[in-house]
Coordinates of all heavy atoms in Angstrom, one line a residue:
M1 N -27.7 -4.5 5.8 CA -29.0 -4.4 5.0 C -28.5 -3.8 3.6 O -28.9 -4.4 2.5 CB -30.0 -3.7 5.7 CG -31.3 -3.6 4.9 SD -32.0 -5.3 4.7 CE -33.7 -5.0 4.7
T2 N -27.8 -2.7 3.6 CA -27.5 -2.0 2.4 C -26.6 -2.9 1.5 O -26.8 -2.9 0.3 CB -26.7 -0.8 2.7 OG1 -27.5 0.1 3.5 CG2 -26.3 0.1 1.5
K3 N -25.8 -3.7 2.1 CA -24.9 -4.6 1.2 C -25.7 -5.6 0.5 O -25.3 -6.0 -0.6 CB -24.0 -5.4 2.2 CG -22.8 -4.5 2.9 CD -22.0 -5.4 3.7 CE -21.1 -4.4 4.6 NZ -20.3 -5.3 5.5
R4 N -26.8 -6.2 1.2 CA -27.6 -7.1 0.4 C -28.5 -6.5 -0.6 O -28.6 -7.0 -1.7 CB -28.5 -7.9 1.4 CG -27.8 -9.0 2.1 CD -28.8 -9.7 3.0 NE -28.7 -9.2 4.2 CZ -29.6 -9.3 5.2 NH1 -30.7 -10.1 4.9 NH2 -29.6 -8.7 6.3
L5 N -28.9 -5.2 -0.4 CA -29.8 -4.6 -1.3 C -28.9 -4.0 -2.5 O -29.4 -4.1 -3.7 CB -30.6 -3.5 -0.7 CG -31.7 -3.9 0.2 CD1 -32.4 -2.7 1.0 CD2 -32.7 -4.7 -0.5
F6 N -27.8 -3.4 -2.1 CA -26.9 -2.8 -3.1 C -25.5 -3.3 -3.0 O -24.6 -2.7 -2.5 CB -26.9 -1.3 -3.0 CG -28.3 -0.8 -3.0 CD1 -28.9 -0.4 -1.8 CD2 -29.0 -0.5 -4.2 CE1 -30.2 0.2 -1.8 CE2 -30.2 0.1 -4.2 CZ -30.9 0.4 -3.1
P7 N -25.3 -4.6 -3.5 CA -24.0 -5.2 -3.2 C -22.8 -4.3 -3.9 O -21.7 -4.4 -3.5 CB -24.0 -6.6 -4.0 CG -25.3 -6.6 -4.6 CD -26.2 -5.5 -4.2
E8 N -23.1 -3.6 -4.9 CA -22.1 -2.7 -5.5 C -21.5 -1.6 -4.5 O -20.5 -1.0 -4.8 CB -22.5 -2.1 -6.8 CG -23.6 -1.2 -6.7 CD -25.1 -1.8 -6.6 OE1 -25.1 -3.0 -6.6 OE2 -26.0 -1.0 -6.5
L9 N -22.3 -1.3 -3.5 CA -22.0 -0.2 -2.5 C -21.1 -0.8 -1.4 O -20.6 -0.2 -0.6 CB -23.2 0.4 -1.9 CG -24.1 1.2 -2.9 CD1 -25.3 1.7 -2.3 CD2 -23.2 2.2 -3.6
A10 N -21.0 -2.1 -1.3 CA -20.2 -2.7 -0.3 C -18.8 -2.5 -0.5 O -18.3 -2.3 -1.7 CB -20.5 -4.3 -0.2
P11 N -18.0 -2.3 0.6 CA -16.6 -2.0 0.4 C -15.9 -3.3 -0.2 O -16.4 -4.5 0.1 CB -16.0 -1.8 1.9 CG -17.0 -2.2 2.6 CD -18.3 -2.3 1.9
P12 N -14.8 -3.2 -1.0 CA -14.2 -4.3 -1.6 C -13.6 -5.2 -0.5 O -13.2 -4.6 0.6 CB -13.1 -3.7 -2.4 CG -13.0 -2.4 -1.9 CD -14.2 -1.9 -1.3
R13 N -13.6 -6.5 -0.6 CA -13.1 -7.5 0.3 C -11.7 -7.9 -0.2 O -11.4 -8.1 -1.3 CB -14.0 -8.6 0.5 CG -15.4 -8.2 0.9 CD -16.3 -9.4 1.0 NE -16.3 -9.8 2.3 CZ -16.8 -11.0 2.7 NH1 -17.3 -11.8 1.8 NH2 -16.8 -11.4 4.1
A14 N -10.9 -8.1 0.9 CA -9.6 -8.8 0.6 C -9.7 -10.2 0.2 O -10.6 -10.8 0.7 CB -8.6 -8.6 1.7
P15 N -8.9 -10.6 -0.6 CA -8.9 -12.0 -1.0 C -8.7 -12.9 0.4 O -8.1 -12.3 1.3 CB -7.6 -12.3 -1.8 CG -7.3 -10.9 -2.3 CD -7.8 -10.0 -1.4
K16 N -9.3 -14.0 0.5 CA -9.2 -14.9 1.6 C -7.8 -15.1 2.1 O -7.6 -15.2 3.3 CB -10.0 -16.2 1.4 CG -10.4 -16.9 2.5 CD -11.3 -18.0 2.2 CE -12.2 -18.4 3.4 NZ -13.5 -18.7 3.2
S17 N -7.0 -15.2 1.1 CA -5.5 -15.5 1.6 C -5.0 -14.3 2.4 O -4.1 -14.5 3.2 CB -4.6 -15.8 0.4 OG -4.7 -14.6 -0.5
D18 N -5.4 -13.1 2.0 CA -4.9 -11.9 2.8 C -5.5 -12.0 4.3 O -4.8 -11.6 5.2 CB -5.4 -10.6 2.2 CG -4.8 -10.3 0.9 OD1 -3.6 -10.9 0.6 OD2 -5.1 -9.4 0.2
R19 N -6.7 -12.4 4.4 CA -7.3 -12.5 5.7 C -6.5 -13.6 6.5 O -6.3 -13.3 7.7 CB -8.7 -12.8 5.6 CG -9.5 -12.8 7.0 CD -11.0 -13.1 6.7 NE -11.8 -13.0 8.0 CZ -11.8 -14.1 8.9 NH1 -11.2 -15.1 8.5 NH2 -12.5 -13.9 9.9
T20 N -6.3 -14.7 5.9 CA -5.6 -15.7 6.6 C -4.2 -15.3 6.9 O -3.8 -15.6 8.1 CB -5.6 -17.0 5.7 OG1 -7.0 -17.3 5.3 CG2 -4.9 -18.2 6.3
R21 N -3.6 -14.7 6.1 CA -2.2 -14.2 6.3 C -2.2 -13.2 7.5 O -1.4 -13.4 8.4 CB -1.4 -13.6 5.1 CG -0.1 -13.1 5.2 CD 0.6 -12.5 4.1 NE 0.3 -13.3 2.7 CZ -0.5 -12.7 1.9 NH1 -1.1 -11.6 1.9 NH2 -0.6 -13.5 0.8
F22 N -3.1 -12.3 7.5 CA -3.2 -11.4 8.6 C -3.4 -12.1 10.0 O -2.8 -11.7 11.0 CB -4.4 -10.4 8.4 CG -4.7 -9.6 9.6 CD1 -3.9 -8.7 10.0 CD2 -5.9 -9.9 10.3 CE1 -4.1 -7.9 11.3 CE2 -6.2 -9.2 11.5 CZ -5.4 -8.2 11.9
I23 N -4.4 -13.1 9.9 CA -4.7 -13.8 11.1 C -3.4 -14.5 11.8 O -3.2 -14.5 12.9 CB -5.8 -14.8 11.0 CG1 -7.1 -14.0 10.8 CG2 -6.0 -15.8 12.1 CD1 -8.3 -14.7 10.3
R24 N -2.7 -15.1 10.8 CA -1.5 -15.8 11.3 C -0.4 -14.9 11.8 O 0.2 -15.2 12.8 CB -1.0 -16.6 10.1 CG -1.8 -17.8 9.7 CD -2.0 -18.8 10.7 NE -2.9 -19.9 10.2 CZ -4.0 -20.2 10.8 NH1 -4.4 -19.6 11.9 NH2 -4.9 -21.1 10.3
Q25 N -0.2 -13.7 11.1 CA 0.8 -12.8 11.6 C 0.3 -12.1 13.0 O 1.1 -12.0 13.8 CB 0.8 -11.6 10.6 CG 1.6 -12.1 9.3 CD 1.5 -11.0 8.3 OE1 0.7 -10.1 8.2 NE2 2.5 -11.1 7.3
A26 N -1.0 -11.9 13.1 CA -1.4 -11.3 14.3 C -1.4 -12.3 15.5 O -1.0 -11.9 16.6 CB -2.9 -10.9 14.2
Q27 N -1.5 -13.7 15.2 CA -1.4 -14.7 16.3 C 0.0 -14.6 16.7 O 0.3 -14.8 17.9 CB -1.9 -16.0 15.7 CG -3.4 -16.0 15.7 CD -3.9 -17.4 15.1 OE1 -3.2 -18.0 14.3 NE2 -5.1 -17.8 15.5
A28 N 1.0 -14.6 15.9 CA 2.4 -14.6 16.1 C 2.7 -13.3 17.0 O 3.4 -13.5 18.0 CB 3.3 -14.6 14.9
V29 N 2.2 -12.2 16.7 CA 2.5 -11.0 17.5 C 1.9 -11.1 18.8 O 2.6 -10.8 19.8 CB 1.9 -9.8 16.8 CG1 1.8 -8.6 17.5 CG2 2.7 -9.5 15.4
I30 N 0.6 -11.7 19.0 CA -0.1 -11.8 20.2 C 0.7 -12.8 21.0 O 1.0 -12.6 22.3 CB -1.4 -12.2 20.1 CG1 -2.3 -11.1 19.4 CG2 -2.1 -12.6 21.4 CD1 -2.3 -9.8 19.9
L31 N 1.2 -13.8 20.6 CA 2.0 -14.8 21.4 C 3.4 -14.2 21.8 O 3.7 -14.5 23.0 CB 2.2 -16.0 20.5 CG 1.0 -17.0 20.4 CD1 1.3 -18.2 19.4 CD2 0.5 -17.5 21.6
Q32 N 3.9 -13.4 21.0 CA 5.2 -12.9 21.4 C 5.0 -11.9 22.5 O 5.8 -11.9 23.5 CB 5.8 -12.0 20.2 CG 6.4 -13.0 19.2 CD 6.9 -12.1 17.9 OE1 6.9 -11.0 17.8 NE2 7.3 -12.8 16.8
I33 N 4.0 -11.2 22.6 CA 3.6 -10.3 23.7 C 3.4 -11.2 25.0 O 4.0 -10.8 26.0 CB 2.4 -9.5 23.4 CG1 2.7 -8.4 22.3 CG2 2.0 -8.7 24.7 CD1 1.4 -7.7 21.8
G34 N 2.6 -12.2 24.8 CA 2.4 -13.1 25.9 C 3.6 -13.7 26.5 O 3.8 -13.8 27.7
L35 N 4.5 -14.2 25.6 CA 5.8 -14.8 26.0 C 6.7 -13.9 26.9 O 7.4 -14.3 27.6 CB 6.4 -15.4 24.8 CG 5.8 -16.6 24.2 CD1 6.5 -16.9 22.8 CD2 5.8 -17.8 25.1
R36 N 6.4 -12.6 26.7 CA 7.2 -11.6 27.4 C 6.6 -11.3 28.8 O 6.9 -10.5 29.5 CB 7.3 -10.3 26.8 CG 8.2 -10.4 25.4 CD 8.4 -9.1 24.8 NE 9.4 -9.2 23.7 CZ 9.1 -9.1 22.5 NH1 7.9 -8.8 22.0 NH2 10.2 -9.3 21.6
G37 N 5.4 -12.0 29.1 CA 4.8 -11.9 30.4 C 3.8 -10.8 30.6 O 3.3 -10.6 31.6
R38 N 3.5 -10.2 29.3 CA 2.4 -9.1 29.4 C 1.0 -9.7 29.2 O 0.9 -10.7 28.4 CB 2.8 -8.1 28.3 CG 3.9 -7.1 28.7 CD 3.9 -5.9 27.8 NE 2.6 -5.3 27.6 CZ 2.1 -4.9 26.4 NH1 2.9 -4.9 25.3 NH2 1.0 -4.4 26.4
D39 N 0.2 -9.0 29.7 CA -1.3 -9.2 29.4 C -1.5 -8.6 28.0 O -0.8 -7.7 27.5 CB -2.3 -8.5 30.2 CG -2.0 -9.0 31.8 OD1 -1.5 -10.2 32.0 OD2 -2.7 -8.4 32.7
V40 N -2.4 -9.1 27.2 CA -2.6 -8.7 25.8 C -4.1 -8.6 25.6 O -4.9 -9.1 26.2 CB -2.0 -9.7 24.9 CG1 -2.6 -11.0 25.0 CG2 -1.9 -9.1 23.4
C41 N -4.4 -7.7 24.7 CA -5.8 -7.4 24.3 C -5.8 -7.0 22.9 O -4.8 -6.9 22.2 CB -6.3 -6.2 25.1 SG -5.6 -4.6 24.7
A42 N -7.0 -7.0 22.3 CA -7.2 -6.6 20.8 C -6.6 -5.3 20.5 O -6.0 -5.1 19.4 CB -8.7 -6.7 20.5
D43 N -6.6 -4.4 21.3 CA -6.1 -3.1 21.0 C -4.5 -3.1 20.7 O -4.0 -2.5 19.9 CB -6.2 -2.1 22.2 CG -7.6 -1.3 22.2 OD1 -8.4 -1.7 21.3 OD2 -7.8 -0.5 23.0
D44 N -4.0 -4.0 21.6 CA -2.4 -4.3 21.3 C -2.2 -4.9 19.9 O -1.3 -4.4 19.2 CB -1.9 -5.3 22.3 CG -2.0 -4.8 23.7 OD1 -1.8 -3.5 24.0 OD2 -2.0 -5.7 24.6
G45 N -3.0 -5.8 19.5 CA -2.9 -6.3 18.3 C -3.1 -5.3 17.1 O -2.5 -5.2 16.1
H46 N -4.1 -4.3 17.2 CA -4.3 -3.4 16.2 C -3.2 -2.3 16.2 O -2.9 -1.9 15.1 CB -5.7 -2.6 16.6 CG -6.9 -3.5 16.2 ND1 -7.4 -3.6 14.9 CD2 -7.8 -4.2 16.9 CE1 -8.5 -4.4 14.8 NE2 -8.7 -4.7 16.1
V47 N -2.7 -2.0 17.3 CA -1.5 -1.1 17.2 C -0.3 -1.7 16.6 O 0.4 -1.1 15.7 CB -1.2 -0.7 18.6 CG1 0.1 0.1 18.7 CG2 -2.3 0.3 19.2
L48 N 0.1 -2.9 17.0 CA 1.3 -3.6 16.4 C 1.1 -4.1 15.0 O 2.2 -4.3 14.3 CB 1.8 -4.7 17.4 CG 2.1 -4.2 18.8 CD1 2.3 -5.4 19.7 CD2 3.3 -3.3 18.8
L49 N -0.1 -4.5 14.7 CA -0.2 -5.1 13.2 C -1.6 -4.5 12.8 O -2.7 -5.2 12.9 CB -0.2 -6.6 13.4 CG -0.3 -7.3 12.0 CD1 1.0 -7.1 11.2 CD2 -0.5 -8.8 12.2
P50 N -1.6 -3.3 12.1 CA -2.8 -2.8 11.6 C -3.5 -3.7 10.6 O -2.8 -4.4 9.9 CB -2.4 -1.5 10.9 CG -1.1 -1.2 11.5 CD -0.5 -2.5 11.9
V51 N -4.8 -3.8 10.6 CA -5.6 -4.6 9.8 C -5.4 -4.0 8.4 O -5.7 -2.9 8.0 CB -7.1 -4.6 10.2 CG1 -7.9 -5.5 9.2 CG2 -7.2 -5.0 11.6
P52 N -5.1 -5.0 7.4 CA -5.0 -4.6 6.0 C -6.3 -4.1 5.3 O -7.3 -4.5 5.8 CB -4.4 -5.8 5.2 CG -4.1 -6.8 6.4 CD -4.7 -6.4 7.6
H53 N -6.0 -3.2 4.3 CA -7.2 -2.7 3.6 C -8.0 -3.9 3.0 O -7.4 -4.8 2.5 CB -6.8 -1.8 2.5 CG -8.0 -1.2 1.7 ND1 -8.9 -0.4 2.2 CD2 -8.4 -1.6 0.5 CE1 -9.7 -0.1 1.3 NE2 -9.4 -0.8 0.1
G54 N -9.3 -3.8 3.3 CA -10.2 -5.0 2.7 C -10.4 -6.1 3.7 O -11.3 -6.9 3.5
V55 N -9.7 -6.1 4.8 CA -9.9 -7.1 5.8 C -10.6 -6.5 6.9 O -10.4 -5.5 7.4 CB -8.6 -7.7 6.4 CG1 -8.8 -8.7 7.5 CG2 -7.7 -8.4 5.3
N56 N -11.8 -7.1 7.3 CA -12.6 -6.7 8.3 C -11.9 -6.6 9.7 O -11.4 -7.6 10.1 CB -13.9 -7.5 8.5 CG -15.0 -6.9 9.3 OD1 -14.6 -6.4 10.3 ND2 -16.2 -7.0 8.9
P57 N -12.0 -5.5 10.3 CA -11.3 -5.4 11.6 C -11.7 -6.5 12.7 O -10.9 -6.8 13.7 CB -11.6 -4.0 12.2 CG -11.9 -3.2 11.0 CD -12.5 -4.1 10.0
S58 N -12.9 -7.0 12.6 CA -13.3 -8.0 13.5 C -12.6 -9.3 13.3 O -12.7 -10.2 14.2 CB -14.9 -8.3 13.3 OG -15.1 -8.8 12.0
A59 N -11.7 -9.4 12.3 CA -10.9 -10.6 12.1 C -10.0 -10.7 13.3 O -9.5 -11.8 13.7 CB -10.1 -10.5 10.9
M60 N -9.8 -9.6 14.1 CA -9.0 -9.7 15.3 C -9.6 -10.7 16.3 O -8.9 -11.4 17.1 CB -8.7 -8.4 16.0 CG -7.6 -8.2 17.0 SD -6.0 -8.8 16.5 CE -5.5 -7.3 15.6
G61 N -10.9 -10.7 16.3 CA -11.5 -11.8 17.3 C -11.2 -13.1 16.9 O -11.0 -14.0 17.7
T62 N -11.0 -13.4 15.6 CA -10.7 -14.7 15.0 C -9.3 -15.0 15.6 O -8.9 -16.2 15.9 CB -10.7 -14.9 13.5 OG1 -12.0 -14.5 13.2 CG2 -10.3 -16.2 13.1
V63 N -8.4 -14.0 15.7 CA -7.0 -14.2 16.2 C -7.0 -14.7 17.5 O -6.4 -15.8 17.8 CB -6.2 -12.9 16.1 CG1 -4.9 -12.8 16.8 CG2 -6.0 -12.5 14.6
F64 N -7.7 -14.0 18.4 CA -7.9 -14.5 19.8 C -8.6 -15.9 19.9 O -8.2 -16.7 20.8 CB -8.4 -13.5 20.7 CG -7.4 -12.3 20.9 CD1 -7.5 -11.3 20.0 CD2 -6.6 -12.3 21.9 CE1 -6.6 -10.2 20.2 CE2 -5.7 -11.3 22.1 CZ -5.7 -10.2 21.3
N65 N -9.6 -16.0 19.2 CA -10.3 -17.2 19.3 C -9.6 -18.5 19.0 O -9.6 -19.5 19.5 CB -11.7 -17.2 18.5 CG -12.7 -18.3 18.8 OD1 -12.8 -18.7 19.9 ND2 -13.5 -18.7 17.7
G66 N -8.7 -18.3 17.9 CA -7.9 -19.4 17.5 C -6.9 -19.8 18.5 O -6.6 -20.9 18.8
L67 N -6.3 -18.7 19.2 CA -5.3 -19.0 20.2 C -5.9 -19.7 21.5 O -5.3 -20.6 22.1 CB -4.6 -17.7 20.5 CG -3.7 -17.1 19.4 CD1 -3.2 -15.7 19.9 CD2 -2.5 -18.0 19.1
L68 N -7.2 -19.2 21.8 CA -7.9 -19.8 22.9 C -8.2 -21.2 22.7 O -7.9 -22.2 23.5 CB -9.2 -19.0 23.1 CG -10.1 -19.6 24.2 CD1 -9.5 -19.4 25.5 CD2 -11.4 -18.8 24.2
R69 N -8.7 -21.6 21.5 CA -9.1 -22.9 21.2 C -7.9 -23.9 21.1 O -7.9 -25.1 21.5 CB -9.7 -23.1 19.8 CG -11.1 -22.5 19.8 CD -11.8 -22.7 18.5 NE -13.2 -22.2 18.6 CZ -14.0 -22.3 17.6 NH1 -13.7 -23.0 16.5 NH2 -15.2 -21.8 17.7
A70 N -6.6 -23.3 20.9 CA -5.4 -24.0 20.9 C -4.9 -24.2 22.2 O -3.9 -24.9 22.4 CB -4.4 -23.4 19.9
G71 N -5.5 -23.6 23.1 CA -4.9 -23.6 24.6 C -3.7 -22.7 24.8 O -3.0 -23.0 25.8
L72 N -3.5 -21.8 23.9 CA -2.3 -20.9 24.1 C -2.4 -19.7 24.9 O -1.5 -19.1 25.2 CB -1.7 -20.7 22.7 CG -1.3 -21.8 21.8 CD1 -1.1 -21.4 20.3 CD2 -0.1 -22.5 22.4
I73 N -3.7 -19.3 25.0 CA -4.0 -18.1 25.9 C -5.2 -18.4 26.7 O -5.9 -19.4 26.4 CB -4.3 -16.8 25.0 CG1 -5.4 -17.0 24.1 CG2 -3.0 -16.4 24.3 CD1 -5.8 -15.7 23.3
R74 N -5.4 -17.6 27.8 CA -6.6 -17.8 28.6 C -7.1 -16.4 28.9 O -6.3 -15.5 29.2 CB -6.2 -18.6 29.8 CG -5.3 -18.0 30.7 CD -5.1 -18.9 31.9 NE -3.8 -18.5 32.6 CZ -3.9 -17.5 33.5 NH1 -5.0 -16.8 33.7 NH2 -2.7 -17.2 34.1
P75 N -8.4 -16.2 29.1 CA -8.9 -14.9 29.5 C -8.6 -14.6 31.0 O -8.7 -15.6 31.8 CB -10.5 -15.1 29.3 CG -10.8 -16.4 29.3 CD -9.5 -17.2 28.9
I76 N -8.3 -13.4 31.2 CA -8.0 -13.0 32.7 C -8.8 -11.8 33.2 O -8.7 -11.5 34.2 CB -6.5 -12.8 32.9 CG1 -5.9 -11.6 32.0 CG2 -5.7 -14.1 32.6 CD1 -4.6 -11.1 32.3
G77 N -9.3 -11.1 32.2 CA -10.2 -10.0 32.6 C -10.7 -9.1 31.6 O -10.9 -9.5 30.4
F78 N -11.0 -7.8 31.9 CA -11.6 -6.9 30.9 C -10.9 -5.5 31.0 O -10.3 -5.2 32.0 CB -13.1 -6.8 31.1 CG -13.9 -8.1 31.0 CD1 -14.2 -8.9 32.1 CD2 -14.4 -8.4 29.7 CE1 -14.9 -10.0 31.8 CE2 -15.1 -9.5 29.6 CZ -15.4 -10.4 30.5
G79 N -11.1 -4.8 29.9 CA -10.4 -3.4 29.9 C -11.4 -2.6 29.0 O -12.4 -3.0 28.4
R80 N -11.1 -1.3 28.9 CA -11.7 -0.4 28.1 C -10.9 0.0 26.9 O -9.7 0.4 27.0 CB -12.2 0.9 28.8 CG -13.0 0.6 30.1 CD -14.3 0.2 29.7 NE -15.2 1.4 29.6 CZ -16.5 1.5 29.3 NH1 -17.1 0.4 29.1 NH2 -17.1 2.5 29.2
S81 N -11.4 -0.1 25.7 CA -10.6 0.3 24.5 C -10.4 1.8 24.4 O -11.1 2.6 24.8 CB -11.4 -0.1 23.2 OG -10.7 0.3 22.1
T82 N -9.1 2.1 23.9 CA -8.7 3.5 23.7 C -8.7 3.8 22.3 O -8.5 4.9 21.9 CB -7.3 3.6 24.3 OG1 -6.3 2.7 23.6 CG2 -7.3 3.5 25.8
R83 N -9.1 2.9 21.4 CA -9.2 3.1 20.0 C -10.5 3.9 19.7 O -11.6 3.6 20.2 CB -9.3 1.8 19.2 CG -7.9 1.2 19.2 CD -7.9 -0.2 18.4 NE -8.7 -0.1 17.2 CZ -9.7 -1.0 17.0 NH1 -10.0 -2.0 17.8 NH2 -10.4 -1.0 15.8
A84 N -10.4 5.0 18.9 CA -11.5 5.9 18.7 C -12.7 5.2 18.1 O -13.8 5.3 18.4 CB -11.1 7.0 17.7
S85 N -12.3 4.2 17.2 CA -13.4 3.5 16.5 C -14.2 2.6 17.4 O -15.3 2.1 17.1 CB -12.9 2.7 15.3 OG -12.0 1.8 15.8
R86 N -13.8 2.2 18.7 CA -14.4 1.4 19.6 C -15.2 2.1 20.6 O -15.9 1.6 21.4 CB -13.3 0.5 20.2 CG -12.6 -0.5 19.3 CD -13.4 -1.6 19.0 NE -13.8 -2.4 20.1 CZ -14.9 -3.1 20.4 NH1 -15.9 -3.1 19.5 NH2 -15.1 -3.7 21.4
H87 N -15.0 3.4 20.7 CA -15.8 4.3 21.5 C -15.8 3.9 23.0 O -16.8 3.9 23.7 CB -17.2 4.4 21.0 CG -17.3 4.8 19.7 ND1 -17.2 6.1 19.2 CD2 -17.6 4.0 18.5 CE1 -17.3 6.1 17.9 NE2 -17.6 4.9 17.5
G88 N -14.6 3.4 23.4 CA -14.5 3.0 24.8 C -15.2 1.7 25.2 O -15.3 1.4 26.4
N89 N -15.5 0.9 24.3 CA -16.2 -0.3 24.6 C -15.3 -1.3 25.4 O -14.1 -1.1 25.3 CB -16.6 -1.1 23.4 CG -17.8 -0.4 22.6 OD1 -18.4 0.4 23.2 ND2 -17.9 -0.8 21.3
T90 N -15.9 -2.3 26.0 CA -15.1 -3.2 26.8 C -14.6 -4.3 25.9 O -15.2 -4.8 24.9 CB -16.1 -4.0 27.9 OG1 -16.8 -2.9 28.6 CG2 -15.5 -4.9 28.7
F91 N -13.3 -4.7 26.3 CA -12.6 -5.9 25.6 C -12.1 -6.8 26.6 O -12.0 -6.4 27.7 CB -11.5 -5.5 24.7 CG -10.4 -4.7 25.4 CD1 -9.6 -5.2 26.2 CD2 -10.3 -3.3 25.0 CE1 -8.6 -4.6 26.8 CE2 -9.1 -2.5 25.6 CZ -8.3 -3.1 26.5
R92 N -11.8 -7.9 26.2 CA -11.3 -9.0 27.1 C -9.7 -8.9 27.1 O -9.1 -8.5 26.1 CB -11.7 -10.4 26.6 CG -11.1 -11.4 27.5 CD -11.7 -12.8 27.6 NE -13.1 -12.9 27.7 CZ -13.7 -13.2 28.9 NH1 -13.1 -13.1 30.0 NH2 -15.0 -13.5 28.9
T93 N -9.1 -9.1 28.3 CA -7.6 -9.2 28.3 C -7.2 -10.7 28.4 O -8.0 -11.5 28.9 CB -7.1 -8.4 29.5 OG1 -7.7 -8.9 30.7 CG2 -7.3 -6.9 29.2
W94 N -6.1 -11.0 28.0 CA -5.6 -12.4 27.8 C -4.2 -12.6 28.5 O -3.5 -11.6 28.5 CB -5.7 -12.9 26.4 CG -6.9 -12.6 25.7 CD1 -7.3 -11.5 25.1 CD2 -8.0 -13.6 25.6 NE1 -8.6 -11.7 24.6 CE2 -9.0 -13.0 24.9 CE3 -8.1 -15.0 26.0 CZ2 -10.1 -13.6 24.5 CZ3 -9.3 -15.5 25.6 CH2 -10.3 -15.0 24.9
K95 N -3.8 -13.7 28.8 CA -2.6 -14.0 29.3 C -2.1 -15.3 28.6 O -2.8 -16.3 28.4 CB -2.6 -14.3 30.9 CG -1.3 -14.5 31.5 CD -0.5 -13.3 31.5 CE 0.1 -12.9 32.8 NZ 0.9 -11.8 32.7

């Protein structure tokens, strides 16, 4: 709501190319983990490839969604996040 009323208070956004680059890099990292036979989750992605300044951390969802739509990963379960910013919320695990 504040962003719409006071757009000047919204955090600066990264150029679209930065977001796209991050998504592609994160997809490559996630696939490398999966090719080693490990289950993978968003926390893994955040640890191995931190989200660049100006890119919304929710872009990690786009990473997994793109891989799912391409048939490269599949959901296998759930876990609890250890990232402080996630407050122990549930996440999906992938293979």
